[in-house]
Amino acid sequence: MSVRFVFLRVLGILPLLLGVSLILFAVLHLAPGGPLDVYADNPSVSQEALREMKVALGLDKPLPIQYLAWVGAFMRGQWGYSYRTGDPVVQDIASRIPATLALGGTAFLLSLLIAIPLGILSAVRRYSALDHAVTFTSFLGISMPVFWLALMLQLLFAVYLHWLPSAGMVTIGDGSLVDRLKHLALPASILAVASVAGWSRYVRSSMTDILSQDFVRTARAKGLSERIVIYRHALRNALIPVITVVALDFATILSGAVITETIFAWPGMGRLFIDSMNGRDYPVLMGLMMLGSFALVLTNFLTDLIYALVDPRISYG
Amino acid sequence: MDKSQSIPRWLPRRESFLGQVLHRFFKHKLAVAGLGILVLLGLVSILAPVLTPYGYDQQNVALMGQPRSPSSQHWMGTDELGRDSFTRVLYGARVSLRVGLLSALVATLLGTLVGALAGFYGHWVDPLLMRFTDVMLSIPLLPLVILLSGILHPSVALLVGIIGGLGWMSTARIVRGQFLKLRSAEYVEAIRALGGSNNRIMFRHILPNTVGPIVVATTLSVGNAILLESALSFLGLGVQPPTPTWGNLLNAAQGWLSQAPWLALFPGLFILITVLAINFLGDGLRDALDPRL
């Protein structure tokens, strides 16, 4: 992998993000009212002042000019001010990032720890009762309305059994690790359901492919133990295609947090998104959407890099 | 056990293409079961007025105030407004299934058109459409759908437009790949030599050869559309009450979760069973239509 490839790939990101910003800007202009709507309802703001503000903010200019100004400001980190709190959007969003990363990161690790062993077991004992059970369960996971599962598990573990808290991130006055982990358990498991289901199927099919290849037969013929054949020879190769799917899904897990965080009152970006949606807080919404798209494009890029690093057969220009 | 015994007698002969497809399909037990469940669900939702004596917004004043648990008159209980939950779940099926089917149809039509044009014409059309597809794929789907619904307060028809209009990208990529492969095939050259127009080649000769993957993609996107609509309605941003859908029934049930868990149990169970049936059907169709996989 050459420096040239990395450079070209980075260069390719820019038009993509520009396209995304164009679409999001258009969506923003579908919204009823403009950025000055907050003041329009205020009786102590005169029509005169409203017009002056419009000129001062450049809202009287044609749309293409407004778009360029918006992009320029956005790149300098001026994402506007929240309609609800009056704080800078960047500050409002930044304060929510740690909670979402903690939740998404836990769900991500949990998914890996469950999906990979399940996929291997399924592939090694293909067509066994265990394999059928894993396949059926992963179909269940893919078809699951996660918000419903969340409600049912809340009911079971919080209402009936009282094992886990039903919402929030910490109990007020109790910041211990155990307390935090208890709060994390349900939302992280819920967030992991879809990816566990998808990934275990993917590991299974990748592993099945590899196990039928000649080099695996050679390894067995050499008299290597089944353990070594599977874990040292087959698994390493089987995981290469899995990396792409897993890495790309990280962004999906984060956007899935929109629903999970809402149900579990988790104070992250997903909940900020829904709260902003209900409060028609368009600057915050736009900032979150751009950030989400950026994360998606970035994971795409990193996936390509990791793939090239892990698999020496792949070489980009 | 002889496997052929489970395959119905009335099927076309094994030698024909359709016969082969159907024989492979009927070997996939779960897919057949999925199809059966979907047919049943469809019938039940169409026959809802016959199957239940109540209207979906009919209130029993005597039962108002708080939800009542399931009984012989009300199989799934009643909600806090004295409405029969079984009736609301059945009528909810109508809206949820319709939104799912129509959105998938919109997504498939758009995706097929974009993919066909990109794959067939190449030159500047292909890069243009594919970069546009890349851009659309770079925006996280769920938040975008939520944002658009929040801004537009969509009717059911507009909701179909939003879900379908944002779900065409994977179909477009699949169809483009097929068209790229087939546009230089010898039989296409032959039609061109015979004077067939571009449109005729695209839609009469290439498209029928891409039907397998398109059918599979459409089936799976029905399931995804149902999940998306129910998630939106659950968040209060999709179909608005009093029209019941499985999603907004769950939204209403959330407030009564500990007192009346049955209100949340049934709509979710219906979503799960429906989407599961669709995914098994899609899996069976993939086996049947594309034996290489």
Side-chain angles (χ1 to χ4, degrees):
Chain A
M1 186 172 46
S2 61
V3 179
R4 199 180 109 90
F5 161 70
V6 178
F7 180 72
L8 285 178
R9 194 65 182 70
V10 171
L11 221 57
I13 289 180
L14 293 177
L16 214 53
L17 284 176
L18 218 57
V20 169
S21 72
L22 200 60
I23 289 178
L24 291 180
F25 185 77
V27 169
L28 186 70
H29 276 264
L30 284 177
L36 294 181
D37 247 24
V38 240
Y39 299 111
D41 290 340
N42 189 337
S44 23
V45 178
S46 69
Q47 286 298 315
E48 187 73 9
L50 217 55
R51 220 165 325 169
E52 270 176 36
M53 273 183 348
K54 215 169 176 175
V55 175
L57 291 171
L59 294 173
D60 55 335
K61 302 235 168 60
L63 272 184
I65 307 267
Q66 282 192 41
Y67 170 69
L68 289 180
W70 181 67
V71 170
F74 203 89
M75 301 235 277
R76 288 195 302 272
Q78 289 158 12
W79 294 10
Y81 295 87
S82 161
Y83 289 174
R84 291 184 310 139
T85 63
D87 295 331
V89 170
V90 178
Q91 184 188 320
D92 270 9
I93 293 179
S95 70
R96 300 297 193 103
I97 290 178
T100 294
L101 280 186
L103 179 61
T106 311
F108 188 77
L109 286 179
L110 203 62
S111 308
L112 278 182
L113 288 177
I114 300 172
I116 292 180
L118 272 188
I120 297 173
L121 269 178
S122 228
V124 171
R125 303 194 196 153
R126 197 144 67 114
Y127 303 131
S128 67
L130 180 95
D131 179 29
H132 287 303
V134 169
T135 304
F136 189 82
T137 314
S138 59
F139 263 95
L140 266 184
I142 293 167
S143 316
M144 185 67 73
V146 281
F147 48 94
W148 175 70
L149 186 65
L151 292 183
M152 292 296 115
L153 292 186
Q154 255 180 353
L155 195 64
L156 179 65
F157 289 109
V159 178
Y160 291 151
L161 297 174
H162 299 290
W163 288 356
L164 296 167
S166 68
M169 198 157 80
V170 285
T171 311
I172 295 168
D174 180 3
S176 68
L177 186 66
V178 177
D179 180 59
R180 282 171 186 274
L181 287 179
K182 272 185 165 179
H183 279 87
L184 192 58
L186 274 184
S189 316
I190 291 293
L191 201 50
V193 167
S195 37
V196 168
W199 297 353
S200 62
R201 274 180 71 73
Y202 206 79
V203 172
R204 177 188 182 273
S205 78
S206 173
M207 195 71 184
T208 312
D209 279 354
I210 296 286
L211 284 176
S212 66
Q213 290 198 1
D214 287 344
F215 79 88
V216 172
R217 200 177 44 189
T218 309
R220 286 201 177 112
K222 281 196 302 186
L224 293 181
S225 73
E226 196 60 20
R227 249 185 107 80
I228 296 203
V229 170
I230 288 170
Y231 292 102
R232 185 155 311 159
H233 292 257
L235 182 60
R236 286 184 172 194
N237 286 291
L239 284 184
I240 293 173
V242 173
I243 289 174
T244 38
V245 176
V246 165
L248 286 178
D249 267 4
F250 187 62
T252 314
I253 290 181
L254 288 185
S255 70
V258 168
I259 290 178
T260 315
E261 288 183 1
T262 307
I263 298 173
F264 290 100
W266 191 264
M269 289 191 286
R271 190 167 156 80
L272 178 65
F273 186 82
I274 295 297
D275 288 347
S276 307
M277 193 72 247
N278 292 331
R280 308 270 166 271
D281 197 343
Y282 295 121
V284 176
L285 289 171
M286 216 30 67
L288 284 169
M289 288 301 298
M290 279 307 290
L291 199 64
S293 304
F294 184 68
L296 203 60
V297 173
L298 194 70
T299 39
N300 245 317
F301 166 66
L302 290 178
T303 308
D304 275 5
L305 285 196
I306 297 170
Y307 202 58
L309 282 176
V310 175
D311 190 343
R313 286 169 301 184
I314 312 256
S315 68
Y316 299 108
Chain B
M1 192 188 78
D2 183 13
K3 275 232 163 170
S4 63
Q5 273 180 353
S6 60
I7 294 161
R9 277 270 187 80
W10 45 265
L11 285 181
R13 282 166 12 109
R14 187 179 269 283
E15 289 75 25
S16 72
F17 172 71
L18 194 65
Q20 283 183 3
V21 167
L22 288 173
H23 276 274
R24 280 195 296 264
F25 180 77
F26 275 93
K27 264 191 214 157
H28 197 310
K29 294 281 167 356
L30 287 169
V32 178
L35 183 64
I37 288 172
L38 291 174
V39 170
L40 194 68
L41 269 170
L43 282 177
V44 161
S45 74
I46 291 169
L47 295 176
V50 186
L51 292 172
T52 155
Y54 312 101
Y56 68 82
D57 52 1
Q58 183 187 333
Q59 292 173 257
N60 184 341
V61 185
L63 297 177
M64 266 178 74
Q66 60 169 330
R68 308 291 165 121
S69 49
S71 62
S72 57
Q73 284 98 44
H74 301 285
W75 295 349
M76 296 183 186
T78 56
D79 65 8
E80 77 279 11
L81 297 174
R83 298 177 295 193
D84 179 54
S85 294
F86 177 65
T87 305
R88 291 182 65 72
V89 168
L90 285 195
Y91 279 91
R94 292 182 154 195
V95 184
S96 296
L97 293 177
R98 197 162 58 209
V99 171
L101 278 172
L102 291 178
S103 321
L105 213 62
V106 169
T108 304
L109 287 178
L110 280 175
T112 305
L113 191 67
V114 170
L117 291 175
F120 188 77
Y121 285 111
H123 299 300
W124 57 269
V125 181
D126 184 31
L128 186 77
L129 288 175
M130 282 304 111
R131 287 304 80 76
F132 179 58
T133 309
D134 288 345
V135 168
M136 292 303 291
L137 281 170
S138 301
I139 307 176
L141 177 67
L142 180 65
L144 183 60
V145 171
I146 292 175
L147 184 69
L148 278 173
S149 316
I151 289 177
L152 298 172
H153 301 289
S155 59
V156 172
L158 189 56
L159 195 64
V160 166
I162 292 175
I163 296 177
L166 295 174
W168 52 268
M169 286 84 80
S170 54
T171 311
R173 283 190 166 174
I174 296 168
V175 173
R176 171 182 175 265
Q178 297 282 327
F179 267 74
L180 269 182
K181 202 172 67 187
L182 291 175
R183 81 170 166 196
S184 52
E186 279 175 8
Y187 82 94
V188 172
E189 293 294 320
I191 301 154
R192 202 185 295 282
L194 286 169
S197 69
N198 278 339
N199 280 339
R200 192 183 168 83
I201 294 175
M202 275 166 76
F203 296 111
R204 289 294 298 276
H205 297 281
I206 299 186
L207 194 61
N209 282 307
T210 65
V211 154
I214 294 179
V215 166
V216 175
T218 308
T219 311
L220 297 178
S221 61
V222 174
N224 288 331
I226 290 178
L227 283 180
L228 205 53
E229 180 275 322
S230 61
L232 270 183
S233 302
F234 172 71
L235 292 171
L237 295 165
V239 179
Q240 297 301 319
T243 307
T245 76
W246 293 332
N248 69 26
L249 288 176
L250 281 171
N251 174 298
Q254 199 180 6
W256 295 97
L257 192 58
S258 48
Q259 297 102 309
W262 59 89
L263 288 181
L265 179 67
F266 295 110
L269 216 51
F270 270 74
I271 301 174
L272 175 61
I273 291 171
T274 309
V275 180
L276 190 63
I278 291 171
N279 283 336
F280 278 131
L281 177 64
D283 200 49
L285 287 174
R286 194 198 322 263
D287 286 358
L289 291 168
D290 197 350
R292 282 159 301 169
L293 285 176

